[in-house]
Amino acid sequence: MDKNKITQKLMAGQRLMLGFDGMEFNNELKHIINDINASGIILFARNIESPEQVSCLCSDCQTYAGARGLPPLFIAIDQEGGAVARLKEPFTVFKGNPFIDTVEDARTFASITAHELAQVGINMNFAPVLDIAPKGVDSIMKDRVFKGDAKTISRLGTQIILTLQEKGIMAVAKHFPGIGRTIKDSHFHLPVLDIDLESLIQSDMVPFVDAKNQGVAGIMLSHILYPQLDYHWQASLSPFIANDLLRNQMGYDGLVMTDDLDMKAIEHDMETCIQQILTSGIDMALICHKGPGIDKAFHEILGRLNRDENLYLMGKKSLERILRVKKKYLQG
């Protein structure tokens, strides 16, 4: 993209990945793309009817963004297989991570999934799940995680990342720094995981370090509170976890994004969320449902970039990361 066309509106909008209603290109999508300049959109079951319909929807969105002189869109989906798979038949239906036992299984899942996503214009998969569910813990993630220890999960997860990205689909590893030990669902509660950093580094974070070394396009932060790491803020709003731990200590320079800000684990108002996201150096906030939060988030980002020189400079770095990934995967 021409650097001369980079505006504060674009800087603000590219920090958002947004959900929407409907199965075809509509005024809501025009608003998301043209008025907000969103970095991308997220597809759910409510947006999906058939391969042909999804393909037309994605194509219309990309064509519109191009016509408005905007960067190509991230078009993302949760296609983990098993319990979380937005695309149903006639797309290939997989049993999910608990049934992936070998590297060959992982390669097969990722290869077929990448092909089918690319065929309909989806370019980002919020997968793989790299959380570890220890034995003896009734993990909320037990139906979504690979079986085994950290090394096994790394081996299977990095194979999925490698295969997806070799075939042009950006992978997003989740949920940093690991939520496999939690028993509450962050869609409905704020789970608290009282664990020390060294234990996380020795186990839960191992697959994420390997994903970083594999060049994973994105890492999604959890909505879990880790009081021994940050007593006040969930990982998705924490300067220590997102910036000090993931960026500085781990050395990750890909895309960092929140989980959905509409979840019940996030009880803060949108202004507070955006302040934390910007000061933490998180690249993109996910807001997965239509509502006033989308416009509030955009205007809050825009206002803070205008008022705070430090946030503006951090915002430039985030935009550079976003555009770098888009150039690699979406512009050749």
Side-chain angles (χ1 to χ4, degrees):
M1 178 170 181
D2 185 351
K3 289 186 177 180
N4 294 324
K5 293 183 179 179
I6 292 176
T7 63
Q8 285 196 344
K9 178 181 175 182
L10 185 74
M11 284 183 66
Q14 291 289 296
R15 306 292 290 276
L16 295 170
M17 289 272 289
L18 303 174
F20 62 97
D21 290 339
M23 294 184 179
E24 58 187 23
F25 188 69
N26 55 31
N27 287 333
E28 188 182 345
L29 282 164
K30 286 183 180 179
H31 176 63
I32 285 171
I33 297 168
N34 185 57
D35 300 334
I36 291 181
N37 287 189
S39 188
I41 57 174
I42 310 154
L43 302 183
F44 290 89
R46 66 180 184 267
N47 309 120
I48 296 160
E49 183 178 58
S50 68
E52 295 77 18
Q53 168 265 327
V54 175
S55 179
C56 185
L57 172 64
C58 294
S59 176
D60 287 348
C61 288
Q62 295 288 22
T63 298
Y64 184 72
R68 307 306 296 174
L70 296 167
L73 299 164
F74 294 132
I75 301 182
I77 197 164
D78 292 285
Q79 194 67 6
E80 302 169 14
V84 178
R86 312 302 183 196
L87 301 174
K88 310 299 185 183
E89 291 183 350
F91 295 94
T92 303
V93 175
F94 290 92
K95 290 184 177 180
N97 289 348
F99 298 90
I100 292 178
D101 296 318
T102 67
V103 168
E104 187 55 41
D105 291 343
R107 188 181 297 116
T108 298
F109 161 75
S111 181
I112 293 171
T113 298
H115 175 73
E116 294 184 347
L117 295 181
Q119 286 284 96
V120 296
I122 297 169
N123 53 45
M124 178 180 281
N125 193 5
F126 290 151
V129 170
L130 295 184
D131 301 307
I132 302 170
K135 289 181 180 178
V137 175
D138 186 24
S139 172
I140 189 66
M141 299 299 293
K142 60 182 179 292
D143 295 329
R144 296 172 60 189
V145 297
F146 301 108
K147 294 177 294 188
D149 59 13
K151 281 189 175 180
T152 301
I153 289 165
S154 282
R155 187 167 64 251
L156 299 175
T158 53
Q159 183 60 57
I160 287 176
I161 291 165
L162 176 67
T163 305
L164 286 174
Q165 296 190 164
E166 278 183 342
K167 296 181 179 299
I169 303 298
M170 290 165 276
V172 176
K174 59 190 186 185
H175 307 79
F176 186 85
I179 65 174
R181 299 171 188 265
T182 59
I183 59 174
K184 289 187 175 181
D185 189 341
S186 56
H187 289 84
F188 307 107
H189 310 275
L190 172 59
V192 177
L193 184 54
D194 193 15
I195 188 172
D196 63 279
L197 178 57
E198 189 57 33
S199 296
L200 285 170
I201 289 172
Q202 293 299 322
S203 178
D204 300 64
M205 283 172 52
V206 169
F208 291 99
V209 173
D210 290 342
K212 183 266 293 189
N213 292 337
Q214 191 64 62
V216 69
I219 291 180
M220 182 181 290
L221 299 162
S222 79
H223 282 333
I224 311 303
L225 184 69
Y226 305 79
Q228 294 193 48
L229 277 63
D230 188 327
Y231 189 78
H232 296 287
W233 301 106
Q234 301 94 321
S236 48
L237 303 176
S238 168
F240 174 78
I241 293 171
N243 191 56
D244 295 0
L245 184 57
L246 181 54
R247 288 281 189 221
N248 296 335
Q249 293 186 40
M250 260 182 60
Y252 182 63
D253 195 37
L255 300 175
V256 175
M257 61 190 74
T258 71
D259 207 337
D260 180 13
L261 293 183
D262 286 327
M263 290 184 186
K264 297 297 183 186
I266 299 294
E267 296 177 341
H268 310 287
D269 58 52
M270 187 58 73
E271 290 80 3
T272 301
C273 289
I274 293 303
Q275 170 66 15
Q276 289 304 118
I277 287 164
L278 296 184
T279 56
S280 300
I282 296 166
D283 298 311
M284 293 186 295
L286 270 58
I287 305 175
C288 294
H289 300 87
K290 178 181 179 179
I294 287 175
D295 286 287
K296 280 184 184 177
F298 171 68
H299 290 295
E300 189 67 22
I301 296 169
L302 191 60
R304 289 186 182 275
L305 292 180
N306 273 317
R307 295 192 300 270
D308 190 315
E309 184 178 3
N310 187 50
L311 292 183
Y312 176 81
L313 294 174
M314 292 174 71
K316 282 185 70 175
K317 289 184 178 179
S318 277
L319 182 63
E320 287 168 5
R321 274 191 291 267
I322 291 165
L323 295 180
R324 183 175 71 227
V325 173
K326 289 190 172 189
K327 183 176 181 181
K328 178 178 180 180
Y329 284 95
L330 306 182
Q331 295 173 310

